[in-house]
Amino acid sequence: MISPFLLISLVLILGILWYYSLKLAVKIKTNRILKNVSDENEGIKNIVESTTSCTFSMTQEGVFTYLSANVDQITGFSAEELIGENNNQIVLSIKALLPKESSLSSTESESKNIQIKHKNGSVRWLNLCYNKTQVKGNKTIIRGIFRDVTKDIEAKQALINSENRFKKLAENSPTAIFIFDGEEYLYVNKKFAEILGGTPSDFIGKKLSLSYMHKSDVSRIREIILELFSGKKSYSNHTYKVYNSVGEIVHIHLFGTIIDEQNKKVLFGTALDITEEVNAQKLLAEQEEQFRMITEKSFTGLILSQRKKVVYINPRFLEIIGRSGEIFTLIEDLFKLVHPEDISKVRNSIQERKEGNVDHAHYQCRMFHKKGHIVYLDIYGSNVTMNGHQAIMTSFMDITDSVKTQKTLQDSIHEKNVLLAEIHHRVKNNMAVVSGLIELQRFKTDDKVAQTLLKESQLRIKTIAMIHEKLYQSSSFSEIPFGKYLSGLVNNVSSSLYSENLNISIDQKYDNIFLNINQAIPAALLANEVITNCFKHAFVNIEKGTVTIRLKEIDENKLSLIISDNGIGLPQNYIDGDTLGLTLIRNLKT
């Protein structure tokens, strides 16, 4: 029989063994659980720290108590540099966003964007999501995450900037822009409204009205809109006429295409005011028509050439050379029609204009008519610019009849000149015969008075004969160089009245004056009488003297002839004398 003491001892020993075995089992299980929890926490920690967001906690006062290890990837600062800090600029930026203690419940959360400066100095944007949590001791902890959203914000800002730029471009575009959804205008810019004489608000949100369209284009624009929205056409590119606010017609070039806008088809279009261009083209067409009419109906032949090619020949030129209907494409083809003696002259003229030595040229040349006879042409050539390159415009005037008439006149004038020269020559010879007869008569008389009178008459005849001699020698029978004539007259008088007892010098100066025969003969007779009197009467009992002669032009219709001497002077009442010389002087001066 087992004693009670031994039994109790055995039970105690078994109990202790069971206790320790149980404790060991619990410890093993606890360690296993703790290990699993530790592995799980490590996994969570790895997940948190590997994400692009940073997990944080901080006090209500704004002091970080925890930051996941990836904070340095976002801010450039390590967790150790930020936890517990009060003055770091990132800490201060986040602290400034924290709500007051009473403003955020434990179930509410907030999300805000803040701008920070990265440790490397670059500016970053962070998005913070956080809420308030109560912990032991009723302390408030702010927990949350923040992530780098710099690229998102910059992309959004870039999109905003792009939209703003597009808006500015659209609003200030010189091209009208509109968007139409088939029923109403979704957008029009200022230029579109300006063309039609309104403001964008007059169109945006309003139904399509074609009252401003010219009636000739209304049905066409409706048809094109239907074709665009139905898909029959992908775009439209046409010109239309519309009315502006004052009722004037404006020409617009309209381009439209269908685009998708928020899964809805809309018509995007541009319109350009081409009124000035249309009017310019119309004016140009009118000018071209006028030019065509002028050149086609011109009495002057015209050729436009460029780069050795004939660009245009009007019908009149072909008519002048008798080649209507023929086609000339090269300048060299026209040179075949030029008279051989004139080819070098024409080529040199063209070359000088090509080289820029002259801009215009005027010359005459001969060309061969189709029938073989020569056509005389008066030619004007000038440089012009056509399509940005130098060209030559040449006009031709047929002067064949004028040349023939001129030649006939020149032949006639030559014949008349020959005849006049012969007449003057015969008159001079006849007067020489008369003068010779008087000379014979003078030799046959012993009467001194008669001899003097005959001598004076002989001088007068020689004076007239000298006029005809000058005309005979002159290239023009209408003009006599009177100064040269007076010089010869003085020599004739002085030689005829030469006396060994006299020493008379002549001081003579003459302007370059020409007289016709009707003026020259009386002026010559007057000068002859005065000069003769000077030699005969001015130097009686004087051995030496001077005769001064001046011929000057006073104006276009007047001349001055002054004959003077330094002799004994004129007697009183000389003008009333009845000698033939004084009678001639009185009559000739009037």
Side-chain angles (χ1 to χ4, degrees):
M1 181 174 184
I2 302 174
S3 65
F5 175 76
L6 182 60
L7 184 59
I8 293 171
S9 298
L10 182 60
V11 171
L12 283 173
I13 291 170
L14 291 173
I16 291 170
L17 291 173
W18 176 81
Y19 169 76
Y20 278 106
S21 64
L22 181 62
K23 184 177 180 181
L24 179 61
V26 170
K27 183 177 180 180
I28 291 171
K29 189 173 183 179
T30 300
N31 288 337
R32 188 181 296 117
I33 292 172
L34 289 175
K35 185 177 185 305
N36 291 338
V37 170
S38 176
D39 292 341
E40 185 176 348
N41 287 340
E42 186 66 26
I44 294 173
K45 180 180 179 181
N46 290 336
I47 292 173
V48 170
E49 292 183 354
S50 64
T51 186
T52 56
S53 299
C54 175
T55 305
F56 73 91
S57 63
M58 63 176 10
T59 65
Q60 181 70 36
E61 292 75 26
V63 178
F64 282 116
T65 58
Y66 171 76
L67 284 165
S68 58
N70 61 350
V71 66
D72 61 337
Q73 299 176 13
I74 299 174
T75 67
F77 294 95
S78 65
E80 290 78 9
E81 291 177 291
L82 297 176
I83 293 174
E85 286 292 328
N86 287 316
N87 296 322
N88 186 282
Q89 53 93 14
I90 296 178
V91 175
L92 295 175
S93 298
I94 296 177
K95 183 178 179 181
L97 291 178
L98 293 179
K100 294 181 179 180
E101 187 172 355
S102 60
S103 64
L104 185 65
S105 67
S106 58
T107 59
E108 292 179 323
S109 63
E110 287 194 9
S111 177
K112 294 182 179 180
N113 291 333
I114 65 168
Q115 195 177 58
I116 67 164
K117 185 176 289 187
H118 193 276
K119 190 175 182 179
N120 63 13
S122 62
V123 176
R124 302 291 179 88
W125 283 93
L126 303 182
N127 176 256
L128 277 75
C129 292
Y130 54 89
N131 58 18
K132 184 173 69 172
T133 304
Q134 296 288 337
V135 297
K136 289 182 179 181
N138 291 325
K139 290 183 178 181
T140 300
I141 296 295
I142 306 298
R143 289 191 174 94
I145 62 173
F146 59 79
R147 62 189 181 91
D148 188 344
V149 292
T150 304
K151 291 184 179 180
D152 296 339
I153 289 180
E154 288 178 348
K156 184 177 181 181
Q157 187 61 45
L159 179 60
I160 294 173
N161 293 339
S162 177
E163 291 176 348
N164 289 337
R165 282 195 297 269
F166 171 77
K167 185 176 181 181
K168 288 181 180 179
L169 287 173
E171 290 299 318
N172 298 287
S173 172
T175 302
I177 300 173
F178 68 92
I179 300 176
F180 176 68
D181 68 356
E183 295 183 359
E184 62 183 32
Y185 290 103
L186 302 180
Y187 171 80
V188 301
N189 69 344
K190 289 188 294 186
K191 187 62 179 179
F192 182 89
E194 178 186 317
I195 291 176
L196 300 178
T199 62
S201 60
D202 296 329
F203 296 90
I204 297 175
K206 307 293 177 60
K207 299 290 185 180
L208 175 66
S209 172
L210 298 180
S211 60
Y212 54 82
M213 296 289 297
H214 191 274
K215 62 181 181 180
S216 62
D217 290 333
V218 171
S219 59
R220 183 169 64 144
I221 192 68
R222 289 188 184 278
E223 180 182 351
I224 289 175
I225 290 175
L226 290 175
E227 289 177 343
L228 288 171
F229 278 100
S230 64
K232 291 182 179 180
K233 282 188 175 183
S234 58
Y235 69 92
S236 169
N237 189 14
H238 294 88
T239 300
Y240 304 93
K241 298 188 289 293
V242 299
Y243 295 102
N244 61 16
S245 59
V246 295
E248 298 173 335
I249 291 180
V250 177
H251 297 267
I252 61 171
H253 185 85
L254 189 65
F255 178 87
T257 186
I258 297 296
I259 61 175
D260 288 327
E261 175 68 20
Q262 297 179 353
N263 297 323
K264 181 180 179 181
K265 288 184 177 181
V266 297
L267 174 62
F268 174 82
T270 59
L272 186 64
D273 185 351
I274 58 170
T275 304
E276 291 186 2
E277 289 79 357
V278 170
N279 292 337
Q281 289 177 356
K282 183 179 179 181
L283 179 61
L284 180 61
E286 292 174 354
Q287 291 175 342
E288 288 178 349
E289 178 64 19
Q290 292 173 357
F291 174 77
R292 187 189 66 79
M293 292 179 61
I294 292 172
T295 56
E296 295 292 318
K297 304 298 181 181
S298 175
F299 184 72
T300 302
L302 293 172
I303 293 179
L304 179 62
S305 60
Q306 187 179 53
R307 296 180 175 180
K308 299 182 179 181
K309 293 183 179 180
V310 176
V311 178
Y312 172 78
I313 295 181
N314 75 336
R316 175 56 183 164
F317 176 79
L318 298 175
E319 180 184 341
I320 289 173
I321 60 175
R323 300 174 185 274
S324 300
E326 294 188 24
I327 298 175
F328 296 90
T329 57
L330 299 175
I331 293 295
E332 287 300 322
D333 296 335
L334 294 173
F335 272 112
K336 296 176 182 178
L337 308 179
V338 179
H339 194 284
E341 296 178 1
D342 294 339
I343 288 179
S344 61
K345 176 172 61 176
V346 177
R347 289 190 186 278
N348 291 338
S349 175
I350 293 174
Q351 188 63 30
E352 284 185 348
R353 276 173 282 158
K354 283 184 177 181
E355 293 175 354
N357 297 329
V358 294
D359 288 329
H360 308 279
H362 179 208
Y363 56 94
Q364 294 178 357
C365 82
R366 294 162 289 177
M367 297 186 77
F368 292 104
H369 194 275
K370 189 174 184 179
K371 293 182 179 180
H373 63 267
I374 291 176
V375 178
Y376 292 84
L377 298 174
D378 192 43
I379 300 175
Y380 288 87
S382 59
N383 290 337
V384 296
T385 300
M386 185 176 69
N387 299 326
H389 299 283
Q390 185 187 42
I392 295 178
M393 175 70 77
T394 310
S395 64
F396 301 82
M397 180 69 73
D398 184 357
I399 58 171
T400 304
D401 292 340
S402 298
V403 170
K404 290 180 179 179
T405 301
Q406 185 178 9
K407 187 175 185 303
T408 302
L409 290 175
Q410 287 176 344
D411 293 342
S412 175
I413 291 171
H414 178 69
E415 292 174 359
K416 290 179 180 179
N417 286 340
V418 172
L419 179 61
L420 284 172
E422 182 64 23
I423 290 172
H424 288 300
H425 180 63
R426 288 176 181 267
V427 170
K428 185 200 76 166
N429 290 343
N430 289 337
M431 286 188 172
V433 171
V434 173
S435 177
L437 293 174
I438 293 174
E439 182 76 12
L440 290 174
Q441 187 66 42
R442 188 167 63 87
F443 287 151
K444 289 185 177 184
T445 181
D446 294 330
D447 189 340
K448 299 294 183 182
V449 175
Q451 287 181 351
T452 300
L453 292 176
L454 289 172
K455 183 67 174 179
E456 290 176 356
S457 296
Q458 193 178 22
L459 283 174
R460 293 183 184 107
I461 291 172
K462 284 185 176 180
T463 298
I464 298 173
M466 287 176 63
I467 292 291
H468 286 279
E469 184 179 13
K470 288 294 180 185
L471 286 172
Y472 171 71
Q473 296 172 349
S474 174
S475 60
S476 172
F477 293 114
S478 62
E479 294 182 335
I480 299 171
F482 199 61
K484 291 182 179 180
Y485 170 80
L486 286 177
S487 179
L489 178 64
V490 170
N491 291 334
N492 184 57
V493 172
S494 64
S495 62
S496 298
L497 300 178
Y498 173 75
S499 174
E500 294 180 355
N501 298 325
L502 292 177
N503 183 9
I504 300 174
S505 62
I506 308 297
D507 180 12
Q508 49 188 338
K509 290 184 180 179
Y510 309 114
D511 287 350
N512 191 25
I513 294 174
F514 293 85
L515 300 179
N516 60 45
I517 191 169
N518 294 326
Q519 297 167 327
I521 288 178
L525 290 172
L526 180 62
N528 175 72
E529 295 300 323
V530 175
I531 295 170
T532 300
N533 282 340
C534 289
F535 274 88
K536 288 176 60 179
H537 305 295
F539 303 104
V540 177
N541 300 323
I542 297 176
E543 295 181 356
K544 187 177 183 180
T546 302
V547 177
T548 303
I549 306 173
R550 298 287 186 268
L551 179 64
K552 295 181 180 180
E553 185 176 18
I554 298 175
D555 57 36
E556 187 177 352
N557 298 315
K558 291 182 181 181
L559 59 87
S560 170
L561 175 61
I562 301 174
I563 304 173
S564 63
D565 61 69
N566 59 355
I568 62 176
L570 293 168
Q572 292 184 353
N573 302 321
Y574 76 94
I575 198 67
D576 297 327
D578 58 355
T579 64
L580 178 59
L582 288 174
T583 301
L584 286 172
I585 291 172
R586 282 196 299 269
N587 292 333
L588 290 171
K589 73 176 184 178
T590 58

